[in-house]
Amino acid sequence: MSETLAEVRMLGDSYTREIRSLLYHAYRHEPTFNYLFEGDRPGFDQRVRATVRELTNQHMAEELPVIGLVLGERLVAVALVAPPQRRLGITESWAWRMRMLLTAGFRCTRRYLDYHEAVLGCLPPGPYHLLPLLGVHPEFQGRHLGEQLLNALHLWCAEDSGSRGLVLDTGNSRYLDFYRRHGYQEIGEVALGPIREHVLFQPNPQPEEHLASQA
């Protein structure tokens, strides 16, 4: 399918519902979420929807960055970004934990918290941006929007001299080659039952590289 060019936007509160809907559709078939939220047990879709809602609402309440791609006025891809100094903020919130317990249940909340801590444990010392959630709406996959979103994220993070790069993780083996082609290096692996969650790092370009990309 041919490439579709979208507009890059920093998203505010007015996009919250669209962000939640897009991320729910992007994650409900992901192997990691299937394991964390017990996809073989009734209520799985509700647990995924509730988790995405709580993560997004907390992210927006803390006024953390959100970068999206928009076609016309429709949000087609999005990434929640955690700056280096705010990496632990969401899961340290007791209010967030209580809402998760009430919606996703104790066992799934515990699994999510353990997964989150294990991913953070793979990070080397130093300041990095993290991507807790990102996705392209399933209706718009195959149009190179994933590349556009990553490129926008890389350029945005490179403007922060206090960050060494960008970290994300995936348990979907189909995405590994995609991320590696875009310069990501594997820095750790987390076992989640039958899933192997890969933790990946993309270093910010050196100043001369960044200037060349803008030329």
Side-chain angles (χ1 to χ4, degrees):
M1 190 175 290
S2 61
E3 181 174 357
T4 300
L5 293 178
E7 178 188 351
V8 179
R9 291 187 188 175
M10 299 299 296
L11 305 180
D13 289 343
S14 63
Y15 278 93
T16 299
R17 292 185 67 180
E18 285 185 78
I19 293 168
R20 293 193 315 231
S21 176
L22 188 155
L23 290 173
Y24 163 72
H25 287 291
Y27 275 90
R28 63 188 296 262
H29 296 301
E30 281 300 297
T32 300
F33 268 49
N34 188 275
Y35 171 76
L36 292 175
F37 301 106
E38 301 179 332
D40 57 348
R41 190 163 61 84
F44 169 70
D45 281 354
Q46 290 89 336
R47 290 190 292 277
V48 172
R49 192 183 296 276
T51 300
V52 167
R53 181 185 67 238
E54 296 305 334
L55 287 170
T56 301
N57 287 353
Q58 186 73 18
H59 193 92
M60 303 302 282
E62 295 188 15
E63 299 182 342
L64 299 178
V66 183
I67 295 178
L69 298 184
V70 177
L71 282 175
E73 285 303 315
R74 183 170 181 186
L75 183 66
V76 294
V78 68
L80 308 189
V81 186
Q85 67 274 20
R86 301 295 294 278
R87 288 201 301 226
L88 295 172
I90 290 178
T91 56
E92 284 185 343
S93 165
W94 283 106
W96 178 87
R97 291 189 182 207
M98 287 302 299
R99 290 193 299 271
M100 281 290 291
L101 287 169
L102 292 171
T103 53
F106 176 82
R107 188 164 55 220
C108 292
T109 299
R110 184 70 267 165
R111 279 189 177 187
Y112 184 87
L113 290 172
D114 290 345
Y115 144 78
H116 180 78
E117 290 301 319
V119 169
L120 291 180
C122 292
L123 302 185
Y128 306 99
H129 284 82
L130 291 181
L131 297 179
L133 293 175
L134 76 159
V136 176
H137 196 288
E139 291 181 20
F140 292 87
Q141 290 179 357
R143 302 188 187 184
H144 302 280
L145 293 168
E147 282 112 334
Q148 291 182 48
L149 182 61
L150 281 185
N151 288 336
L153 286 162
H154 297 160
L155 289 172
W156 184 82
C157 289
E159 297 293 334
D160 185 348
S161 60
S163 174
R164 295 182 183 176
L166 194 59
V167 174
L168 56 81
D169 60 279
T170 182
N172 193 328
S173 59
R174 294 190 299 112
Y175 297 153
L176 283 178
D177 287 341
F178 170 76
Y179 288 129
R180 286 166 179 159
R181 287 199 307 273
H182 287 82
Y184 281 82
Q185 309 156 9
E186 187 160 348
I187 57 173
E189 184 177 291
V190 175
L192 301 173
I195 308 300
R196 292 296 177 268
E197 192 77 5
H198 300 271
V199 184
L200 306 165
F201 169 61
Q202 210 266 15
N204 280 342
Q206 296 300 311
E208 59 271 17
E209 295 174 356
H210 182 55
L211 289 173
S213 72
Q214 300 298 302

